[in-house]
Amino acid sequence: MTRAGGFVLMMIVLFLSGYTLYVKHFQLHRGGSLHLISGRELAYTELRAAAHSETEARSLVGTYRDTSLRSFRHMRVIYANDTVYCLQIQVEGGTFHLAGPDGHPSDGPC
């Protein structure tokens, strides 16, 4: 009885797979678009991620001074001490910064 149930289930799955391919005209993908961020949006995203890393590091070490942002390309720590920091990044010819810990990404250097 179990074998028969498995066989029926397998046939249903095969039928549904075939029907799905038929409805999609035997094409796996219909196309679409993928939004790749760049420019200011990319810089702001990286600055926010780096600020989060700085906050996490400070909670472990107790200062912003000894943190490293090696995983971020084109990111520089302009200044950092026990209470504040400023991160700067250059993306596609533009310079952007974030003065933390409670700042927001902005255009221009620190």
Side-chain angles (χ1 to χ4, degrees), residues 42-92:
L42 175 62
Y44 282 16
T45 301
E46 287 204 15
L47 284 168
R48 283 189 202 102
H52 181 72
S53 294
E54 286 283 312
T55 303
E56 289 291 319
R58 183 172 189 261
S59 69
L60 295 172
V61 179
T63 182
Y64 295 114
R65 188 173 297 138
D66 300 324
T67 57
S68 174
L69 299 173
R70 283 179 276 177
S71 60
F72 296 95
R73 293 182 53 204
H74 311 294
M75 180 81 61
R76 291 185 355 190
V77 178
I78 302 302
Y79 61 83
N81 58 32
D82 293 341
T83 56
V84 294
Y85 61 86
C86 186
L87 307 174
Q88 184 173 305
I89 189 170
Q90 276 196 300
V91 176
E92 295 179 5

Side-chain angles (χ1 to χ4, degrees), residues 44 47 86-89 95-99 104-110:
Y44 282 16
L47 284 168
C86 186
L87 307 174
Q88 184 173 305
I89 189 170
T95 302
F96 307 92
H97 77 278
L98 185 144
H104 299 284
S106 303
D107 295 353
C110 288

